[in-house]
Amino acid sequence: MTVSDELLAPVSPGVELCYQTFGDPAGEPLLLVMGLGGPMTWWPRELCEGLAEAGFHVVRYDNRDTGRSTRMSGRVTTGRLARAFVGAPGPAPYSIGDLAGDAFGLLDHLGLDSAHVVGISMGGMVAQTMALEAPGRVRSLTSMMSTTGRRGVGWQSPALLPTLVTPRGPGREAYIRRALVVWRIIGSPGFPLDEAELRRRAGETWDRGIDEAGVLRQMMAVLTQPDRTRRLADLRVPTLVMHGLADKMVHVSGGRASATAIHGAELVVIPGWGHDLPAALFPTFTRGIRRTADRARRPA
């Protein structure tokens, strides 16, 4: 298995993304877009390697304000977040469209005219936006545990917001403690991870770089995103939508609405799956992504 070092790509003025690739560069390009506050390492190495073995040249990366990518500016207060949460208009430091632009910039840096695109949660919103803005550059779309931007679907459990925005205290151990609380709430009851693995993942995330202000900026982009439902109806990109019935971060209605909106989309709903990537489901994810990519090879 060929695995690159972590590399930096300038994608727009003032923004560099940290990325890594897996597999044969001659394979079909597959871009993995992570969700809110998540570094690229939240795409587990074993899953990336499995996708590479399925014939893809896999690219994972840190979104802006995450991991080793560029930190942005602009302060977002909890008050502004609360107003955005209930639908009040307000400015955001950047948008989901800007994050999609970063992803296209990474493809440009890699010399790729197009790629299969897989996005999880916020990354699914970015992936959907990429397909809408430049459908010729998205060979296939897999939207996982995400939503259309319509306020009546894909809601977050109100009990989560205080946990996400409450200051965690200084230091690595404080970050790990809060991460354990969050993952116990949003993780998969049908596919639980043990505490040692959760602590390892949280420690790795801290070590790669944490920016609480950056997470709030990303959250503001999510809360101020447009409703894509009508535009998605015109999309003709092979699409897979995957969602868990136990997802407390993005309600399964978001996945169902995405699949309903997109012509010909396949919907896979999994009992016991929450808002994470359990190893037990890696084969299911890989088969679904491969199946959807294969649809792009066939004439419409």
Side-chain angles (χ1 to χ4, degrees):
M1 176 66 59
T2 302
V3 181
S4 78
D5 294 331
E6 293 191 12
L7 305 168
L8 290 175
V11 298
S12 65
V15 180
E16 284 189 327
L17 300 184
C18 182
Y19 72 96
Q20 186 176 37
T21 65
F22 294 79
D24 186 349
E28 297 174 66
L30 177 70
L31 185 69
L32 302 180
V33 191
M34 186 37 70
L36 177 71
M40 63 180 175
T41 51
W42 286 9
W43 292 105
R45 184 184 181 100
E46 296 81 5
L47 177 58
C48 294
E49 290 176 346
L51 289 165
E53 290 169 357
F56 295 108
H57 185 227
V58 178
V59 182
R60 67 179 184 178
Y61 70 98
D62 293 329
N63 283 302
R64 63 168 73 180
D65 270 334
T66 307
R68 293 173 179 159
S69 290
T70 298
R71 297 294 189 265
M72 309 305 290
S73 61
R75 182 169 178 262
V76 174
T77 64
T78 54
R80 284 177 59 193
L81 276 177
R83 290 191 293 274
F85 188 79
V86 297
Y94 51 79
S95 67
I96 294 294
D98 293 325
L99 296 174
D102 290 347
F104 284 131
L106 178 56
L107 295 184
D108 292 340
H109 175 81
L110 295 170
L112 297 172
D113 292 333
S114 64
H116 303 285
V117 181
V118 179
I120 183 171
S121 194
M122 182 187 78
M125 303 165 196
V126 172
Q128 290 181 18
T129 302
M130 292 176 69
L132 290 173
E133 294 301 321
R137 302 197 69 180
V138 177
R139 301 186 190 186
S140 71
L141 167 66
T142 300
S143 180
M144 301 173 70
M145 59 183 92
S146 194
T147 187
T148 61
R150 183 157 67 89
R151 290 211 160 259
V153 299
W155 57 84
Q156 181 187 95
S157 170
L160 271 172
L161 189 60
T163 301
L164 293 175
V165 302
T166 299
R168 54 171 167 78
R172 189 177 191 270
E173 189 57 35
Y175 174 81
I176 291 173
R177 283 196 301 270
R178 190 174 71 172
L180 290 175
V181 171
V182 173
W183 286 110
R184 287 185 187 120
I185 295 171
I186 70 174
S188 298
F191 310 93
L193 287 175
D194 63 31
E195 183 168 320
E197 172 58 21
L198 292 173
R199 290 185 66 87
R200 184 203 64 76
R201 178 188 300 171
E204 178 185 64
T205 301
W206 172 270
D207 294 340
R208 294 191 84 258
I210 294 295
D211 186 339
E212 293 287 337
V215 174
L216 297 182
R217 288 189 287 269
Q218 289 187 356
M219 196 178 297
M220 196 68 176
V222 169
L223 293 174
T224 57
Q225 68 182 305
D227 180 357
R228 292 178 293 277
T229 305
R230 290 189 177 182
R231 293 185 67 198
L232 288 170
D234 295 327
L235 196 61
R236 293 297 183 270
V237 171
T239 299
L240 169 66
V241 177
M242 306 187 82
H243 218 115
L245 287 175
D247 193 335
K248 292 182 180 178
M249 180 67 81
V250 180
H251 189 266
V252 68
S253 57
R256 288 177 169 144
S258 298
T260 299
I262 301 171
H263 176 79
E266 176 188 2
L267 174 63
V268 174
V269 175
I270 301 176
W273 181 25
H275 202 77
D276 57 1
L277 293 171
L281 293 179
F282 289 178
T284 301
F285 300 151
T286 300
R287 286 193 300 268
I289 293 165
R290 179 70 268 172
R291 182 171 65 247
T292 307
D294 289 343
R295 287 172 57 197
R297 295 175 171 176
R298 299 197 298 265

